[in-house]
């Protein structure tokens, strides 16, 4: 039994760091429902046979079988209880904090271990990836254990056979958890060759053979999933990827990043004065271990198929921490560093990341809760399997249309809106122009939920307590120079121009331009509603919406809409001008019923799940 009086200062700090890690990971756990990736996995738990589960639940997903099988066990035991499903992953995340401490202590000093563990415990990157029921916290924990065994073998020079057997087992386990975790393990093993001694060559080869033999049952799945070749929805990384990654690691706080950067520079100058070759070799090893997954993922994403995401770099992330904080002072000089990093981390977690609000807002659960209301048209970009999950949870067989599967085009969506057999339309994560289109038929805003990474709306056609979508709206047909029967000999018509800095309140707000056409039933030509955006007389954006895309099969009267919001990277209204017009390349004859624009409050953090929050 541990006696409190016998605890050292180092141990008290470690207890404090782990306590902080537990609080930040378990805070309000009962309010945290499943996120998209978790639901995607849980929806593949129930198949009529083992063969179907393995193929449709595991192979087609692109992840190794280990975590899927573990989730299958948890789901069988606990159903869809979020806390009990997540609990093992949260425990792994807390154990990782301790392993980071041990890793740093064994490589450099207990000061390095404590400071690294403190940083690891308070950033959103490790908290979020640590608590969701995905492969990241188990893979990270196994990777850290492998790193510690590697340390015993190559740095502590321990030749015990048990270590090599454990090494082989842990290396194979990484392959069952995540392929980038396996890549990290392969990197550790390859770098071991530079530390290899003659007296352990046979044992090290044996460890590799143990890993290979244990992984043999999964090889067919590995090669099958290798042919999947990435994520079709993911963009290729560019030169800004690492910049965005490091900002996310530091909770998107310039102050936090600056303090660690200049602190490292300060300690780095002292380290150069006391150059120690073996420590230099360790630091190079750590950097290589962090960058191997990044380099492989980057070039695979660019030249084969996109796979690289921030989450995939988490397996090598502790190596980067140990490298940085290996310079931070001697064993007795860590008090200020630990307190400063902990306070900065928690403060920026709240102020810069809005963590304890964003973390517990679940757009999927709230959206499908709205879908339970009677006589609602429920439309979203979520897959139909997510609707099936909540139908089962709510014990309610509500109607749901997925724009991924059920409505293949915006024309089919408009056909549903035109049916007017619904009292309300419930929307989840629709594109801006689809929100505008819905509002043309259901003009009253009943609910507007906007948060980090999502938007949910409920529109109705009820006039009671009506709330408009737009804070500024203009009917262009009421202005001078506009005619409902224009000269069709003109290629371009219905021109207008707006200075956005004088109209839009916030740079993240959205301007929708809409036009209602009355077309000849047999007309197959296309008319295009164009938006051009200029900045200081330079065209920076061209957007076109055409009648072929919007026209329902069974209707001659319909809307075409176009929407513009300023890109996050621009985030400025300065000298922006929007020009709109009708491009009629075939000089098609049509009637115009409505023509106008509206400006509405945009979701400033629609794409800020991992990016900097807008003010």
């Amino acid at each position: 039994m541990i006696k409190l009086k016998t605890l050292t200062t180092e141990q008290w700090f470690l207890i404090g760091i782990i306590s902080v890690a537990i609080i930040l990971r378990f805070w309000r756990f009962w309010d945290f429902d499943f996120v998209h990736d978790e639901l995607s996995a849980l929806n593949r738990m129930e198949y009529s046979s083992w063969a179907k589960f393995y193929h449709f639940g595991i192979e087609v997903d692109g992840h190794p079988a280990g975590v899927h099988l573990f989730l299958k066990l948890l789901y069988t035991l606990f159903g869809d209880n979020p806390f009990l499903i997540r609990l093992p992953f949260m425990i792994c995340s807390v154990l990782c904090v301790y392993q980071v401490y041990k890793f740093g202590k064994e490589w450099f000093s207990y000061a390095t271990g404590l400071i690294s563990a403190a940083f690891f415990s308070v950033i959103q990157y490790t908290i979020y990836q640590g608590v969701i029921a995905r492969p990241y916290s188990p893979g990270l924990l196994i990777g850290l254990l492998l790193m510690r065994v590697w340390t015993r073998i190559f740095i502590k020079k321990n030749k015990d056979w048990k270590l090599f057997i454990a090494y082989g087992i842990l290396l194979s386990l990484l392959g069952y958890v995540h392929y980038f975790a396996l890549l990290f393990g392969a990197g550790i093993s390859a770098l071991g060759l530079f530390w290899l001694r003659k007296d352990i060559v046979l044992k090290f080869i044996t460890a590799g053979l143990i890993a290979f033999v244990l992984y043999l049952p999964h090889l067919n799945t590995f090669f099958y999933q290798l042919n999947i070749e990435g994520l079709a929805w993911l963009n290729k990384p560019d030169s800004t990827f690492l910049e965005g990654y490091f900002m996310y690691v530091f909770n998107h706080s310039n102050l936090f990043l600056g303090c660690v950067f200049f602190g490292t520079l300060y300690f780095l100058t002292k380290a150069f004065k006391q150059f120690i070759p073996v420590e230099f070799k360790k630091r190079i090893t750590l950097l290589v271990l962090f960058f191997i997954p990044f380099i492989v993922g980057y070039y695979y994403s660019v030249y084969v198929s996109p796979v690289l995401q921030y989450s995939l770099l988490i397996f090598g992330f502790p190596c980067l921490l140990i490298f940085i904080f290996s310079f931070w002072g001697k064993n007795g000089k860590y008090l200020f560093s630990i307190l400063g990093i902990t306070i900065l981390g928690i403060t920026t977690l709240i102020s810069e990341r809005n963590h304890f609000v964003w973390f517990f807002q679940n757009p999927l659960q709230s959206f499908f809760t709205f879908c339970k209301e009677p006589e609602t048209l429920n439309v979203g970009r979520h897959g139909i399997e997510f609707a099936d999950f909540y139908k089962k949870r709510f014990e309610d067989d509500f109607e749901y249309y997925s724009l991924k599967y059920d409505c293949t085009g915006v024309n089919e969506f408009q056909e549903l809106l035109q049916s007017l057999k619904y009292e309300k339309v419930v929307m989840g994560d629709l594109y801006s122009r689809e929100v505008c289109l819905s509002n043309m038929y259901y003009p009253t805003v009943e609910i507007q939920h906007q948060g980090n990474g999502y938007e949910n709306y409920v529109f109705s056609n009820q006039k009671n307590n009506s709330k408009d979508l737009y804070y500024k709206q203009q009917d262009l047909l009421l202005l001078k120079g506009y005619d409902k029967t224009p000269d069709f000999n003109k290629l371009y018509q219905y021109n207008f121009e707006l200075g956005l800095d004088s109209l839009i309140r916030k740079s993240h707000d959205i301007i929708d331009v809409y036009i209602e056409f009355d077309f000849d039933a047999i007309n197959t030509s296309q008319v295009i509603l164009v938006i051009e955006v200029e900045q200081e007389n330079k065209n920076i954006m061209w957007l076109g919406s055409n009648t072929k895309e919007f026209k329902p099969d069974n209707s001659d009267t319909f809307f075409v809409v176009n929407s513009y919001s300023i890109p996050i990277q621009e985030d400025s209204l300065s000298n922006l001008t929007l020009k709109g017009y009708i491009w009629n390349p075939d000089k098609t004859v049509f009637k115009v019923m409505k023509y106008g624009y509206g400006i509405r409050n945009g979701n400033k953090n629609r794409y800020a799940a991992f990016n900097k929050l807008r003010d």
Side-chain angles (χ1 to χ4, degrees):
M1 184 175 179
I2 298 175
K3 295 182 180 180
L4 296 180
K5 292 182 179 180
T6 64
L7 292 177
T8 64
T9 304
E10 174 191 355
Q11 290 170 328
W12 275 114
F13 269 103
L14 179 61
I15 291 171
I17 290 167
I18 293 176
S19 299
V20 169
I22 292 172
I23 292 170
L24 294 179
R25 283 152 179 78
F26 282 79
W27 185 266
R28 285 180 58 197
F29 61 83
W30 51 85
D31 291 334
F32 185 22
D33 199 33
F34 293 117
V35 298
H36 183 280
D37 287 352
E38 292 173 309
L39 283 175
S40 179
L42 292 174
N43 269 301
R44 297 191 298 273
M45 292 293 110
E46 297 182 9
Y47 286 96
S48 58
S49 68
W50 170 257
K52 286 185 177 180
F53 167 68
Y54 199 85
H55 178 67
F56 296 106
I58 295 176
E59 284 186 323
V60 299
D61 176 66
H63 289 90
V67 171
H68 283 290
L69 294 173
F70 184 57
L71 282 174
K72 176 73 169 175
L73 173 63
L74 293 173
Y75 189 76
T76 303
L77 292 174
F78 306 122
D80 67 353
N81 185 297
F83 176 66
L84 293 177
I85 292 286
R86 285 201 184 102
L87 183 59
F89 298 86
M90 299 166 84
I91 292 172
C92 284
S93 183
V94 174
L95 291 176
C96 284
V97 177
Y98 176 74
Q99 293 301 327
V100 167
Y101 155 73
K102 294 293 288 185
F103 180 10
K105 180 178 180 180
E106 290 173 352
W107 275 57
F108 293 99
S109 67
Y110 65 77
T112 296
L114 287 172
I115 298 169
S116 301
F119 188 94
F120 186 93
S121 67
V122 296
I123 58 172
Q124 190 179 57
Y125 180 42
T126 53
I127 295 172
Y128 178 75
Q129 302 299 342
V131 303
I132 59 174
R134 300 302 293 142
Y136 305 112
S137 60
L140 181 56
L141 179 60
I142 295 169
L144 284 165
L145 291 173
L146 182 68
M147 196 71 225
R148 291 195 61 203
V149 174
W150 191 97
T151 302
R152 297 280 182 89
I153 293 171
F154 293 104
I155 295 180
K156 303 297 183 182
K157 299 182 180 180
N158 191 324
K159 296 183 287 186
D160 192 335
W161 265 106
K162 293 179 183 178
L163 291 174
F164 293 90
I165 294 171
Y167 189 94
I169 293 171
L170 291 169
L171 183 58
S172 68
L173 284 176
L174 287 177
Y176 281 97
V177 174
H178 199 287
Y179 293 125
F180 267 74
L182 179 61
L183 178 62
F184 175 73
I188 292 173
S189 303
L191 286 173
L193 299 176
F194 294 93
W195 294 76
L196 196 61
R197 307 181 308 276
K198 292 181 180 180
D199 57 343
I200 62 170
V201 170
L202 179 61
K203 292 180 178 180
F204 192 55
I205 292 173
T206 303
L209 290 173
I210 291 171
F212 180 75
V213 170
L214 291 176
Y215 197 64
L216 276 176
H218 198 268
L219 272 182
N220 286 337
T221 303
F222 172 80
F223 288 116
Y224 178 89
Q225 293 179 332
L226 191 63
N227 292 325
I228 295 176
E229 293 188 351
L231 305 171
W233 51 267
L234 188 64
N235 293 325
K236 292 181 180 181
D238 58 22
S239 59
T240 65
F241 180 88
L242 271 184
E243 178 186 349
Y245 175 79
F246 284 120
M247 288 306 301
Y248 180 50
V249 162
F250 285 92
N251 291 340
H252 282 283
S253 168
N254 291 326
L255 175 61
F256 197 7
L257 175 61
C259 287
V260 173
F261 176 77
F262 287 110
T264 303
L265 282 182
Y266 171 75
F267 292 120
L268 190 61
T269 56
K270 291 189 173 183
F272 279 133
K273 296 177 182 178
Q274 301 173 346
F275 180 77
I276 302 173
V278 68
E279 290 195 353
F280 178 78
K281 187 177 179 181
K282 288 179 184 178
R283 289 176 176 130
I284 294 299
T285 300
L286 292 171
L287 277 182
V288 172
L289 283 175
F290 171 75
F291 279 105
I292 283 175
F294 166 71
I295 292 170
V296 173
Y298 183 88
Y299 283 100
Y300 186 91
S301 297
V302 171
Y303 295 107
V304 181
S305 185
V307 295
L308 189 59
Q309 303 174 75
Y310 295 162
S311 57
L312 303 187
L313 301 184
I314 199 166
F315 307 111
F317 177 65
C319 295
L320 180 65
L321 286 189
I322 303 301
F323 168 80
I324 292 171
F325 295 118
S326 67
F327 300 103
W328 280 54
K330 301 297 181 181
N331 280 337
K333 301 178 181 179
Y334 54 81
L335 172 62
F336 179 77
S337 299
I338 292 173
L339 291 177
I341 283 173
T342 303
I343 292 170
L344 272 173
I346 295 174
T347 303
T348 56
L349 194 66
I350 297 169
S351 62
E352 301 292 340
R353 298 306 299 153
N354 198 22
H355 181 76
F356 296 106
V357 174
W358 165 77
F359 206 41
F360 306 101
Q361 291 177 335
N362 190 285
L364 284 164
Q365 184 184 38
S366 60
F367 168 71
F368 285 111
T369 300
F370 298 145
C371 293
K372 294 193 301 178
E373 296 187 28
E375 298 183 36
T376 57
L377 170 60
N378 307 311
V379 183
R381 282 215 142 65
H382 314 300
I384 52 178
E385 66 274 12
F386 297 105
D388 292 339
F389 178 89
Y390 282 101
K391 286 177 183 179
K392 181 179 178 181
R393 174 182 278 191
F394 297 151
E395 297 181 348
D396 190 335
D397 191 24
F398 51 81
E399 183 182 65
Y400 172 69
Y401 291 94
S402 170
L403 288 183
K404 279 187 173 181
Y405 303 100
D406 299 315
C407 303
T408 57
V410 70
N411 59 328
E412 294 176 336
F413 178 42
Q414 184 156 202
E415 189 172 326
L416 286 171
L417 292 168
Q418 286 185 343
S419 69
L420 295 179
K421 64 180 182 180
Y422 304 97
E423 289 187 0
K424 299 178 182 179
V425 56
V426 177
M427 296 168 287
D429 284 341
L430 298 192
Y431 296 153
S432 295
R433 64 180 188 174
E434 293 158 356
V435 173
C436 171
L437 185 62
S438 301
N439 188 246
M440 295 297 103
Y441 295 97
Y442 293 84
T444 300
V445 181
E446 291 204 352
I447 296 172
Q448 183 176 2
H449 283 179
Q450 297 177 325
N452 292 19
Y454 76 93
E455 285 186 337
N456 293 329
Y457 290 92
V458 178
F459 290 166
S460 76
N461 49 25
Q462 303 297 318
K463 298 299 183 182
N464 297 333
N465 300 318
S466 63
K467 178 183 176 183
D468 293 331
L469 178 65
Y470 301 108
Y471 61 76
K472 183 174 183 60
Q473 197 167 7
Q474 176 66 60
D475 184 346
L476 293 170
L477 295 180
L478 297 179
L479 300 179
K480 291 182 178 180
Y482 287 97
D483 189 352
K484 292 186 179 181
T485 57
D487 182 356
F488 296 108
N489 293 323
K490 293 181 180 179
L491 187 62
Y492 303 103
Q493 49 211 352
Y494 279 170
N495 302 319
F496 70 91
E497 182 175 317
L498 303 173
L500 296 187
D501 54 351
S502 62
L503 295 173
I504 295 181
R505 296 174 182 170
K506 300 288 186 180
S507 60
H508 52 263
D509 287 354
I510 296 168
I511 180 165
D512 296 319
V513 182
Y514 50 85
I515 186 167
E516 185 178 19
F517 288 100
D518 186 355
F519 255 41
D520 189 326
I522 62 172
N523 199 319
T524 59
S525 301
Q526 66 175 343
V527 178
I528 303 168
L529 174 60
V530 176
I531 288 177
E532 290 184 357
V533 182
E534 294 181 352
Q535 188 170 39
E536 297 178 348
N537 298 320
K538 180 181 178 181
N539 192 299
I540 61 172
M541 183 71 69
W542 189 99
L543 300 168
S545 296
N546 64 73
T547 52
K548 280 190 175 181
E549 184 182 9
F550 278 81
K551 184 182 184 303
D553 293 335
N554 61 354
S555 177
D556 302 329
T557 303
F558 59 95
F559 281 95
V560 173
V561 299
N562 209 341
S563 301
Y564 175 74
S565 57
I566 296 169
I568 291 175
Q569 60 269 25
E570 300 294 335
D571 202 20
S572 172
L573 292 166
S574 178
N575 299 317
L576 283 178
T577 301
L578 183 143
K579 296 180 179 180
Y581 56 90
I582 305 299
W583 179 21
N584 189 6
D586 299 320
K587 299 178 181 177
T588 303
V589 177
F590 57 81
K591 293 181 181 178
V592 173
M593 313 301 291
K594 289 183 180 179
Y595 185 42
Y597 69 84
I599 304 174
R600 56 190 170 95
N601 295 321
N603 182 358
K604 62 182 180 180
N605 292 318
R606 175 73 184 270
Y607 304 104
F610 304 112
N611 297 317
K612 182 176 177 60
L613 301 184
R614 278 174 158 178
D615 295 329

